[in-house]
Amino acid sequence: MTSSGANTEWSADGNSLYVLQGAYPVVQLVKIPVDGSVGAATVLVNSKYATDISISPDEQWISFIEFNNLFVVPVGSNSLGANFWVSSRPGFQPNGFIKVSPIGAYYMHWAWRGDQWVLGWLLGSQYSYAPPSALAGCADISCVIDATTTVDLTFAAPSDVPTELVVCYDNGTIVTMRNQTEVINNGRIVVKGDRIQAVCSLTRAPNKLLTLIF
Amino acid sequence: MSTIQIVEITSSDPWTIGTVTNLPLPKGRYFSPQFSPVDNNKLVYTRLSGDTLSGSTYSNNAGIYIATKTG
């Protein structure tokens, strides 16, 4: 079909693919016929700074992720094409622009739920979804939150912890979290149970250090 | 590395699956297989190019492909 592109989606009629092309920060959502017609690809949506652009399977909505937040716009209120750009920047927002995620979103996708397509996303341990039609009349983010369903995916599971075992990892290059620039060459990491007990250079009396720990 | 597995869903129980069909492909890393919404014999998938983590082995001919079931 094509040698470049990502985030492939079928068109509703199965005759074309929607593909994200370009290179960040400038990307395009492109429609490519599956019959292989060369040069028949058309640009539908452009963006500077979006990391993902998606069209809903019913082709009624365009969603995009920009600066880690999720936005959606209705297809019917905009003229898709080579001159159509999506942006969350005030003054450059498309018609019917809605901010969907209050503070952030990852893994944007469309899912069939009940009798309609909903827009879903993840943020940390929380999975959220919202039907765009319910968001369309929202004037502020609190209305969007009310129309959004959020599920906490957190779960607890037992895990084994070695309680008495002491392990030394030797001769490693250790990039520590101290000072931001500290790198220990030929280093030793001492682990007891499931916790790091000490980090040191093997050129500096490791036995003395171990004495201090235990 | 070289196969897309197609699993038949026969039950709402995720541990119960139906027939598994293998779509054999040249060695490479594959991603995001999706059936056409109107034709279950058409499957689009992506073949990934190399990157700094995975290296360049088996990364030629990257792109988006459509497989059509003929038999």
Side-chain angles (χ1 to χ4, degrees):
Chain A
M1 284 293 303
T2 173
S3 59
S4 68
N7 303 11
T8 315
E9 299 173 272
W10 285 95
S11 64
D13 61 11
N15 292 329
S16 304
L17 294 175
Y18 295 106
V19 177
L20 191 67
Q21 291 187 333
Y24 188 84
V26 179
V27 292
Q28 305 88 33
L29 183 69
V30 178
K31 187 174 187 178
I32 305 173
V34 296
D35 63 7
S37 356
V38 177
T42 52
V43 175
L44 297 183
V45 184
N46 302 271
S47 170
K48 188 175 183 182
Y49 300 125
T51 49
D52 193 5
I53 307 173
S54 172
I55 188 166
S56 62
D58 60 5
E59 300 173 341
Q60 298 298 304
W61 302 89
I62 299 287
S63 59
F64 62 102
I65 297 270
E66 188 185 79
F67 302 126
N68 299 325
N69 265 305
L70 173 59
F71 309 92
V72 70
V73 298
V75 169
S77 305
N78 294 283
S79 299
L80 270 55
N83 296 319
F84 177 59
W85 288 72
V86 291
S87 173
S88 62
R89 184 181 172 194
F92 295 86
Q93 297 165 352
N95 296 328
F97 170 87
I98 305 162
K99 184 182 182 194
V100 181
S101 59
I103 57 174
Y106 298 90
Y107 301 112
M108 161 183 87
H109 62 277
W110 293 93
W112 181 255
R113 187 170 185 91
D115 58 355
Q116 61 187 334
W117 290 100
V118 299
L119 184 56
W121 68 96
L122 280 168
L123 180 64
S125 63
Q126 293 187 322
Y127 174 68
S128 300
Y129 62 90
S133 56
L135 309 177
C138 282
D140 56 35
I141 196 70
S142 63
C143 165
V144 172
I145 293 171
D146 288 344
T148 299
T149 304
T150 297
V151 182
D152 188 358
L153 302 178
T154 304
F155 64 92
S159 61
D160 295 324
V161 176
T163 52
E164 298 300 326
L165 189 64
V166 177
V167 178
C168 290
Y169 297 93
D170 283 354
N171 299 319
T173 301
I174 305 167
V175 181
T176 75
M177 296 179 72
R178 187 162 54 197
N179 296 331
Q180 298 192 359
T181 55
E182 185 183 52
V183 177
I184 300 174
N185 292 309
N186 194 22
R188 165 176 284 181
I189 299 175
V190 184
V191 178
K192 183 179 183 185
D194 61 349
R195 291 286 184 272
I196 293 175
Q197 301 293 328
V199 176
C200 65
S201 167
L202 277 176
T203 59
R204 279 200 305 127
N207 289 337
K208 185 178 178 184
L209 183 79
L210 287 176
T211 306
L212 290 175
I213 297 167
F214 307 115
Chain B
M1 280 293 282
S2 60
T3 305
I4 291 177
Q5 287 199 316
I6 301 164
V7 180
E8 186 185 12
I9 298 173
T10 54
S11 162
S12 58
D13 172 11
W15 301 108
T16 306
I17 60 171
T19 311
V20 177
T21 307
N22 287 332
L23 172 62
L25 295 165
K27 265 192 178 176
R29 293 179 299 126
Y30 296 92
F31 182 68
S32 188
Q34 299 169 66
F35 282 110
S36 160
V38 297
D39 184 353
N40 281 342
N41 289 324
K42 279 188 180 171
L43 180 76
V44 65
Y45 61 87
T46 302
R47 179 178 163 93
L48 298 174
S49 61
D51 55 38
T52 51
L53 280 178
S54 57
S56 58
T57 307
Y58 303 119
S59 69
N60 59 343
N61 299 321
I64 296 165
Y65 293 82
I66 291 182
T68 303
K69 187 178 177 184
T70 53

